[in-house]
Amino acid sequence: MRVALFITCLNDTLFPRTGQAVVRLLERLGHEVVFPAAQTCCGQMHYNTGYRREAQRLAVRFVRTFADCDVVLAPSGSCAGMIRENYARLAEPGSRLHGAVTEVAPRVVDLSELLVDVLGVTDVGAYFPHRVTYHPTCHGLRLLRLGDRPQRLLRAVRGLDLVELAGAEECCGFGGTFAVKNPDVSAAMAADKARHTVDTGAEVLCAVDNSCLMHIGGTLERQRAGVRVLHLAEILASTEEEPAKP
């Protein structure tokens, strides 16, 4: 299958290893990954702060860039949720943009959806001999409704010990601009999530959103908790020959 990668701003700027892991994983499974160079931001930050006109311009650019792609992988539940749930709200019903969104948005998938639903695979041949706990991010949980897809993929990884996270469905407190506008509340929420993470005894906290991992990981690092954070793609791309480092 030919998969178009929408890397997202945060991954491109701060977490390039996630995109690299996606390419390694999919190519190992025998699929082709393409990267449309005209891609930019999905517009979520603009949309969430009330800049709908600016968000609309980015939506137009996105649907033009990925119009000819059969499946678009966004390794971010947050960005995939923005495109699938909110792009239609930026377009007038019956407009050209609305028609384009209706065509393109359903083709945008999260990594776990791509693997489990589209490619029909849970065992991707990964090896990661570490104790891991999983945080189901808000957008992955409530917008994309990923369910147990990520956990099914993790359970199939050789050597991986998956442990349950208490209060897993609670928000980590990042929420994009929420963390900026409400820093005290955001920090308290992150502290709760970090405490639950440490209580699992896990070496690694995994999620499908690097934004949430950045927030929780920063708290864990400041606490010197000894727990690392890794995107799902990096664990699934890990093999005995080319292991991901927790």
Side-chain angles (χ1 to χ4, degrees), residues 134-182:
Y134 174 75
H135 166 59
T137 65
C138 291
H139 288 121
L141 185 69
R142 298 175 178 87
L143 288 186
L144 300 184
R145 298 176 179 86
L146 296 182
D148 69 343
R149 293 178 184 84
Q151 291 94 326
R152 288 162 61 188
L153 290 161
L154 289 170
R155 291 189 191 104
V157 175
R158 287 190 303 118
L160 188 147
D161 178 19
L162 183 63
V163 292
E164 186 175 349
L165 179 66
E169 296 188 0
E170 295 176 6
C171 177
C172 74
F174 180 64
T177 54
F178 176 86
V180 177
K181 295 177 180 178
N182 304 277

Side-chain angles (χ1 to χ4, degrees), residues 109-147:
V109 293
D110 155 84
L111 179 62
S112 67
E113 292 176 311
L114 174 67
L115 293 170
V116 176
D117 298 345
V118 180
L119 303 181
V121 61
T122 52
D123 186 346
V124 298
Y127 175 73
F128 192 75
H130 301 282
R131 188 176 176 91
V132 176
T133 192
Y134 174 75
H135 166 59
T137 65
C138 291
H139 288 121
L141 185 69
R142 298 175 178 87
L143 288 186
L144 300 184
R145 298 176 179 86
L146 296 182

Side-chain angles (χ1 to χ4, degrees), residues 45 63 78 87 90 116 145 150 197 222:
M45 293 181 293
V63 296
S78 179
Y87 270 16
L90 292 170
V116 176
R145 298 176 179 86
T197 300
R222 286 189 292 275

Side-chain angles (χ1 to χ4, degrees), residues 4-94:
L5 174 60
F6 174 55
I7 190 58
T8 79
C9 299
L10 192 76
N11 287 330
D12 184 43
T13 307
L14 300 176
F15 299 97
R17 290 192 306 179
T18 294
Q20 294 164 359
V22 166
V23 174
R24 287 199 311 274
L25 170 62
L26 292 179
E27 289 185 344
R28 188 175 78 218
L29 294 175
H31 303 284
E32 179 187 2
V33 182
V34 297
F35 185 82
Q39 62 182 278
T40 54
C41 176
C42 73
Q44 181 181 178
M45 293 181 293
H46 311 72
Y47 182 85
N48 289 347
T49 15
Y51 292 92
R52 296 177 67 90
R53 181 177 298 175
E54 289 77 6
Q56 186 184 69
R57 290 172 182 162
L58 290 166
V60 169
R61 187 180 185 92
F62 181 91
V63 296
R64 284 178 179 169
T65 301
F66 291 95
D68 297 327
C69 302
D70 293 328
V71 60
V72 181
L73 169 60
S76 164
S78 179
C79 297
M82 168 65 190
I83 296 161
R84 280 179 16 194
E85 294 292 322
N86 294 326
Y87 270 16
R89 297 185 175 96
L90 292 170
E92 290 292 331

